[in-house]
Amino acid sequence: MALEEWKKFVRQQGITNLKQLYAYFKSVDVRVAVIEYLKLHPGLQGIVYWVAAFAVGLFAVSYAAVFGEFANFASSLSQSNAALLFLLSPSAFLLSWWLVARFAPGAGGGGIPEVLAALEVDASRASRWTSAKVAVIKILSSLAGAIGGASIGREGPTIQIAASIFYSIGMPFRSIWPSISHHSLLVAGGSAGIAAAFNTPLGGIVFAVEELSQQHFHRFKTFLISAVIISGLVAQWILGPYLYLGYPKLAPITFSALPWALAVGFMCGIAGGYFGKLLVWVQQVFSQFGARAHFWLALTVGLLTASFAWVLGAEVLGSGSGLVTRVLFEENQTVGWGTLFGRFFGPLLSSAAGGATGVFAPSLAAGAAIGAKFAEMTSSPYPYLLVLLGMASFLSGVTRAPFTAFVLVLEMTDRHSAIFPLMMASLVASLAAKIVDSRSCYEQRCDAYLKDEKTAVVSPP
């Protein structure tokens, strides 16, 4: 229809060749004409979301590849020449913190609380956490942390960066289509980011409803779902069909697996609740440090991270993907107490440094370690299932988003036979975590950001 309208317009102007068309464009304000045309066709605003989703898909694949190489370098170095980590890690943590402190304070943290905070303020103030500058610094800071062996993941940063991409591309079009809101851009961007990062389109949609925007979802669900689909398709177009984790072999699951699901769900929910509580405490305490103190803090965290690797081994470094792969797919599911300690406290330590972090993947790794250890201690007939249950449960305990947790683990492994134990364990974990703290670490960090932002606004320059 648009093409026919264009042809009609050209005929009306008496344009018959390219030379006349060029002369016409020189004689009129093309920008004004285009804007007027777009205002008359509000249905075209979907293109904004689709272009941004395509960009997110390309970014997510590239970022995952680079992040993985950087993290693998730190892990390999710890096994070949661990002493060098005592030079690399402090330098990397210092760089990660300095980038955030110097150029974009909104790029610090895990990614999701920052997007939640941006959703709570008006469009102009949201740029503090979701802008092109924030996205660039988030990328650089997280990569610096990864090469230093920080216990961080790329998924949380991907969500914030994707939201920033949508915000940066979409906001200029608000003058044309006022119906475009920064809420719709941020929620669609965050959902597209998680879908592309994990290759979990359903997880992206559930995440949007459960974690980001329950109130606004119905108003822009078509754009959101299409953005999730496009970003996921771009990732699959480049990488081919794949599962984030693969196909673990599970024993036939019967009714007898449900008590195991209850036990793991409760245990990992409590552990996840304490992890989130400690994460909030760590960030509240160390965020009060001045620049000089934070300089030494970042160096100290780097040295402690290198010490962890020296004493406990390479599996305590990075996001924990190597540990998850081992306990899910290899015969050796043994997890030492030191590794369990490192996977729980490592992300907390990395968070204290003040750079970009991300707790999605580290939470999955901590849950996998707890599940594997529990299976080992109890000689469970469902050892690999308990690993999956631990992953979903710990993540649910941290985020208080049980549906997102079990859908993500389900889509990452394609183990539909485990759907009911996963659902049960995730729900139990979310309830158990409330015994520790009634509110998630995301909610509390979001409130802290908003309080700081409000103070900055009302304070005199």
Side-chain angles (χ1 to χ4, degrees):
M1 184 64 182
L3 180 60
E4 292 301 322
E5 291 178 359
W6 171 251
K7 288 180 178 179
K8 181 180 178 181
F9 171 78
V10 169
R11 288 194 297 268
Q12 289 175 346
Q13 300 301 318
I15 299 172
T16 59
N17 54 55
L18 291 177
K19 186 176 181 179
Q20 291 177 340
L21 183 63
Y22 175 72
Y24 170 78
F25 281 134
K26 287 187 65 176
S27 65
V28 299
D29 190 337
V30 178
R31 182 175 179 274
V32 172
V34 170
I35 289 175
E36 290 302 318
Y37 179 82
L38 293 177
K39 285 182 177 179
L40 294 173
H41 298 82
L44 294 177
Q45 64 183 279
I47 296 175
V48 174
Y49 293 83
W50 303 333
V51 170
F54 188 87
V56 165
L58 291 177
F59 159 76
V61 172
S62 304
Y63 178 59
V66 177
F67 189 96
E69 289 297 322
F70 278 40
N72 289 337
F73 177 81
S75 179
S76 299
L77 187 64
S78 72
Q79 298 177 59
S80 61
N81 195 342
L84 289 179
L85 276 179
F86 287 91
L87 293 175
L88 176 62
S89 293
S91 302
F93 275 93
L94 184 59
L95 176 60
S96 178
W97 161 75
W98 178 79
L99 286 167
V100 170
R102 174 65 178 82
F103 297 105
I112 296 175
E114 290 73 24
V115 176
L116 291 174
L119 284 166
E120 294 297 322
V121 298
D122 60 44
S124 60
R125 291 154 62 201
S127 62
R128 177 175 179 177
W129 300 283
T130 53
S131 66
K133 181 180 179 180
V134 167
V136 171
I137 298 304
K138 191 81 173 184
I139 294 169
L140 296 177
S141 178
S142 62
L143 291 179
I147 203 169
S151 295
I152 61 176
R154 61 176 170 83
E155 294 76 18
T158 299
I159 291 169
Q160 186 179 2
I161 295 164
S164 299
I165 290 173
F166 269 71
Y167 181 89
S168 300
I169 291 176
M171 288 304 291
F173 288 91
R174 287 192 70 189
S175 60
I176 300 174
W177 297 306
S179 59
I180 291 180
S181 69
H182 77 291
H183 296 100
S184 64
L185 292 168
L186 296 181
V187 174
S191 303
I194 199 170
F198 284 113
N199 188 32
T200 52
L202 290 179
I205 296 169
V206 174
F207 176 73
V209 177
E210 189 174 31
E211 192 70 66
L212 291 182
S213 186
Q214 301 177 38
Q215 298 178 351
H216 305 286
F217 176 77
H218 70 281
R219 295 192 312 200
F220 49 86
K221 60 180 180 292
T222 300
F223 293 145
L224 186 150
I225 293 172
S226 63
V228 167
I229 292 171
I230 290 172
S231 64
L233 285 176
V234 171
Q236 288 200 10
W237 167 53
I238 299 173
L239 300 175
Y242 72 100
L243 290 177
Y244 185 87
L245 291 176
Y247 299 91
K249 295 181 179 179
L250 301 181
I253 297 174
T254 64
F255 189 79
S256 63
L258 297 184
W260 294 99
L262 291 173
V264 174
F266 182 82
M267 179 172 54
C268 287
I270 295 292
Y274 276 111
F275 178 88
K277 193 177 184 70
L278 287 171
L279 184 65
V280 171
W281 179 82
V282 165
Q283 293 178 334
Q284 286 178 342
V285 169
F286 294 112
S287 65
Q288 306 302 316
F289 278 28
R292 184 183 295 275
H294 230 124
F295 175 91
W296 293 108
L297 174 63
L299 288 179
T300 302
V301 169
L303 290 172
L304 289 173
T305 299
S307 301
F308 269 31
W310 182 280
V311 175
L312 303 176
E315 284 189 333
V316 302
L317 295 177
S319 66
S321 58
L323 171 65
V324 173
T325 300
R326 179 173 69 80
V327 297
L328 265 183
F329 296 99
E330 297 180 12
E331 292 291 331
N332 177 23
Q333 285 191 294
T334 303
V335 174
W337 288 107
T339 301
L340 199 62
F341 174 89
R343 287 309 337 162
F344 185 91
F345 288 101
L348 300 175
L349 182 66
S350 296
S351 178
T357 61
V359 299
F360 252 74
S363 294
L364 293 173
I370 294 174
K373 190 66 177 178
F374 186 60
E376 176 190 344
M377 294 175 63
T378 59
S379 300
S380 170
Y382 303 103
Y384 298 108
L385 174 63
L386 262 59
V387 173
L388 294 182
L389 295 176
M391 293 166 64
S393 301
F394 194 93
L395 182 61
S396 179
V398 173
T399 64
R400 312 297 168 85
F403 297 102
T404 299
F406 89 76
V407 169
L408 283 178
V409 173
L410 185 67
E411 285 193 283
M412 286 190 293
T413 58
D414 196 27
R415 300 292 82 179
H416 290 83
S417 61
I419 185 170
F420 289 113
L422 282 172
M423 291 173 64
M424 180 180 294
S426 297
L427 288 170
V428 169
S430 181
L431 294 173
K434 292 182 179 180
I435 299 175
V436 179
D437 201 317
S438 61
R439 304 174 70 229
S440 74
C441 59
Y442 289 163
E443 294 174 297
Q444 295 184 58
R445 287 307 301 157
C446 174
D447 287 348
Y449 285 139
L450 294 175
K451 182 179 179 180
D452 291 343
E453 199 270 345
K454 184 177 180 180
T455 302
V457 170
V458 300
S459 297

